[in-house]
Amino acid sequence: MGKMKPILSSPAHTERLLVPWRSRWNPPSTSFHHSHASSSLSFPAKAMSLSQQASIHQPPQSNVHSKTLEEAMELESTSELVPFPLLMNSTNYTACTIPWRFPTDDPRIPTPTELSWIYLLLNIIPSFKKRAESDASVPDAANKAEKFAQRYAKILEDLKKDPASQGGPLDIILLCSLREQVLRELGFKDIFKKVKGEENEKAISLFENVVRLNDAIEDEGKRLENLVRGIFAGNVFDLGSAQLAEVFSRDGMSFSATCENLVPRPWIIDDLDAFKMTWSKKSWKKESVIIFVDNSGADIILGILPFARELLQRGSQVVLAANDLPSINDVTYSELIEIISALKDEEGCLMGVSTSNLLIVNSGNDLPVIDLTRVSQELACLANDADLVILEGMGRGIETNLYAQFKCDSLNIAMNFLGHVCMTASSNSMKFRALSTSTEISQVAMKLLDMENLTHTNKKLHVLLRPLFIDVERSI
């Protein structure tokens, strides 16, 4: 496996970007006593402390804790989805980072970016089909898997001929939604369930050692950098990438080896020092930290949870927002409850740190990307006055929401499957160099093009951005 080459960068006055790169490699509920209870939203917020049980936000009639995981996953949120209250301006918000087309583009002809994504999603179909064939919970899985492959491929082929053939604007949210819809119509609820369970079990066995190694680092700045590297390493476990899915199937993935293969700093775009400074000056204790989590396995258990534990130790309330329904190998909120329960000791602690301020909430999402104008009411109520929002993973933090503006500090951190990692942060009290003009984006994109020996002559912004996010068969 080649060395991982990180980038960290700083966009706009309310954002900071950190981007490490790696080279290619072959409930019944008790009352929630918190100031959020005074939210202007009209619905009540209910949650249980994780020191009592794994905490979850649910409508009052739901009882996830008395149900099996399979039963819990049958409970699709029926409440109306609402805008995330910390968006600076939800009316001007656009979820998708990359503009796939412009007003001057012919609506009858797909743009180069649209075609790139369509081809990438076509390339990942065999991997999804293989997972579906082995889903023992679905009768006649092999035939239904073939039907999935044919139906989804037909949809994508139609989109190549007519970008408007599915009605709405063509973007990554639509393409992911169509894929999940076809799978669910054929009875496939969670084709990655087996591998998620296996990876969760492996990661749980390593959790104690990873935490001890972090705790042994006395210098706060070095400990923070180690936690950040752990998130980068964990985020490699993303089976939405055709290349990574193949590597994982063939060789597996080692968390420690992945950490070691992140190259030394300075990274290509490196704002870690600025993030360390913000970390040392701010405790984010006023209200809470909202973390939109990504993958199962090492990602959530060895990457995000040690970071969340550090925040808890500093006095923050931490809210982990996980998907309502399964999508690829992303962790669901029901699965996250079981993971936390397995990691806690008899006192309800994570390696000596109380979980009384750790909550799990259903985000209302069912895709590997997220539109922040459509989140659960429970999450909206909890997030109303949060101090920090963290979007983890390529889907939620880069392919969508890279330039989302929030009313509070924010952090985007993800592995970019050109083989890079991105981490963007925003702060209302700090000014950062903006990576937002087409010229600057072009320069970054061309660095990636040079690294991959690619050439593009189209100077439109969406084409210049395309290799930054899509190349090397990355699909979500």
Side-chain angles (χ1 to χ4, degrees):
M1 184 184 302
K3 284 285 186 179
M4 298 189 180
K5 198 171 183 182
I7 299 183
L8 291 94
S9 154
S10 302
H13 69 281
T14 59
E15 296 178 21
R16 184 171 67 247
L17 174 66
L18 296 98
V19 186
W21 307 38
R22 65 173 200 284
S23 59
R24 293 194 194 204
W25 36 302
N26 296 296
S29 55
T30 59
S31 297
F32 174 48
H33 300 294
H34 191 266
S35 60
H36 285 104
S38 62
S39 166
S40 59
L41 297 171
S42 61
F43 44 84
K46 303 258 181 135
M48 282 189 295
S49 164
L50 274 169
S51 61
Q52 300 165 340
Q53 293 191 45
S55 172
I56 183 168
H57 261 57
Q58 278 284 69
Q61 70 271 19
S62 298
N63 186 357
V64 170
H65 296 288
S66 67
K67 296 180 179 290
T68 64
L69 178 60
E70 288 76 12
E71 291 171 325
M73 297 215 312
E74 294 287 341
L75 297 173
E76 184 169 1
S77 177
T78 57
S79 61
E80 181 182 356
L81 299 178
V82 298
F84 190 61
L86 294 175
L87 284 173
M88 188 71 75
N89 188 339
S90 60
T91 58
N92 292 332
Y93 163 82
T94 300
C96 296
T97 298
I98 307 170
W100 285 13
R101 65 171 46 245
F102 293 92
T104 55
D105 291 321
D106 189 330
R108 299 162 299 178
I109 301 175
T111 66
T113 305
E114 289 171 340
L115 286 174
S116 296
W117 278 102
I118 290 170
Y119 282 119
L120 289 171
L121 290 168
L122 281 167
N123 289 339
I124 199 71
I125 288 176
S127 174
F128 276 66
K129 179 186 173 184
K130 185 176 180 180
R131 296 282 178 189
E133 287 172 342
S134 62
D135 189 341
S137 69
V138 177
D140 198 19
N143 285 333
K144 290 181 179 178
E146 178 62 31
K147 289 180 181 179
F148 156 73
Q150 292 175 359
R151 290 183 189 179
Y152 190 50
K154 176 66 164 56
I155 289 171
L156 295 176
E157 291 295 339
D158 288 345
L159 287 168
K160 284 164 59 177
K161 300 171 186 174
D162 178 6
S165 61
Q166 290 297 321
L170 185 56
D171 58 28
I172 190 58
I173 294 176
L174 176 62
L175 294 183
C176 287
S177 297
L178 291 168
R179 183 177 63 197
E180 297 302 327
Q181 180 181 337
V182 175
L183 283 168
R184 290 166 188 164
E185 285 178 351
L186 289 166
F188 294 107
K189 298 177 182 178
D190 189 0
I191 62 175
F192 290 85
K193 181 178 179 179
K194 184 174 182 290
V195 69
K196 287 191 296 181
E198 293 169 350
E199 291 306 305
N200 286 340
E201 187 175 347
K202 292 176 187 176
I204 286 171
S205 70
L206 297 173
F207 179 76
E208 182 175 339
N209 187 51
V210 169
V211 169
R212 290 192 187 282
L213 289 172
N214 283 320
D215 286 353
I217 303 173
E218 295 183 2
D219 181 87
E220 184 180 55
K222 292 180 180 178
R223 187 167 65 251
L224 174 61
E225 181 172 343
N226 197 60
L227 288 165
V228 166
R229 286 175 173 270
I231 296 175
F232 292 158
N235 199 231
V236 170
F237 180 55
D238 186 330
L239 300 184
S241 162
Q243 187 181 22
L244 282 181
E246 180 183 349
V247 171
F248 179 84
S249 178
R250 184 181 67 241
D251 304 325
M253 292 182 185
S254 166
F255 179 77
S256 59
T258 304
C259 286
E260 292 171 1
N261 279 303
L262 288 170
V263 299
R265 300 178 65 199
W267 298 330
I268 290 182
I269 304 176
D270 191 333
D271 279 341
L272 181 58
D273 292 335
F275 179 60
K276 286 181 180 179
M277 187 171 296
T278 304
W279 178 274
S280 66
K281 290 181 178 180
K282 291 192 174 186
S283 61
W284 296 296
K285 292 179 182 178
K286 176 187 172 186
E287 296 294 343
S288 61
V289 176
I290 309 294
I291 304 178
F292 289 86
V293 299
D294 191 15
N295 304 309
S296 300
D299 192 0
I300 181 65
I301 297 168
L302 305 181
I304 288 297
L305 287 180
F307 182 80
R309 177 180 174 273
E310 185 79 8
L311 285 166
L312 291 170
Q313 204 162 21
R314 286 161 56 92
S316 298
Q317 175 176 277
V318 178
V319 178
L320 302 178
N323 267 15
D324 180 14
L325 297 178
S327 183
I328 313 184
N329 63 315
D330 288 8
V331 67
T332 66
Y333 80 105
S334 301
E335 293 164 343
L336 189 48
I337 290 170
E338 294 193 350
I339 289 169
I340 298 291
S341 295
L343 292 173
K344 288 186 302 178
D345 59 26
E346 293 114 1
E347 286 76 39
C349 295
L350 287 177
M351 294 287 292
V353 176
S354 172
T355 57
S356 60
N357 284 326
L358 178 60
L359 304 175
I360 301 173
V361 65
N362 175 351
S363 68
N365 191 43
D366 62 353
L367 298 174
V369 291
I370 190 166
D371 179 347
L372 292 177
T373 62
R374 296 175 54 79
V375 302
S376 71
Q377 296 184 16
E378 295 85 2
L379 172 57
C381 190
L382 276 176
N384 203 45
D385 297 311
D387 293 314
L388 174 64
V389 173
I390 298 175
L391 291 147
E392 191 237 354
M394 272 295 293
R396 293 165 188 82
I398 305 299
E399 286 151 352
T400 58
N401 302 302
L402 179 60
Y403 295 117
Q405 298 291 307
F406 298 94
K407 299 174 184 176
C408 64
D409 295 342
S410 68
L411 177 72
N412 296 44
I413 181 166
M415 184 67 74
N416 180 315
F417 289 94
L418 254 180
H420 324 306
V421 177
C422 294
M423 184 174 174
T424 78
S426 75
S427 172
N428 293 329
S429 62
M430 299 181 67
K431 303 290 184 180
F432 298 109
R433 179 182 63 83
L435 180 67
S436 58
T437 67
S438 59
T439 300
E440 289 177 298
I441 292 171
S442 300
Q443 291 170 352
V444 173
M446 291 312 297
K447 287 181 182 178
L448 300 180
L449 290 169
D450 290 342
M451 290 179 62
E452 300 299 330
N453 297 315
L454 301 173
T455 57
H456 288 275
T457 57
N458 192 322
K459 295 184 179 180
K460 285 186 177 179
L461 179 60
H462 67 267
V463 175
L464 289 169
L465 276 171
R466 185 188 69 77
L468 180 59
F469 299 107
I470 319 177
D471 200 62
V472 191
E473 294 191 343
R474 159 66 182 160
S475 68
I476 52 178

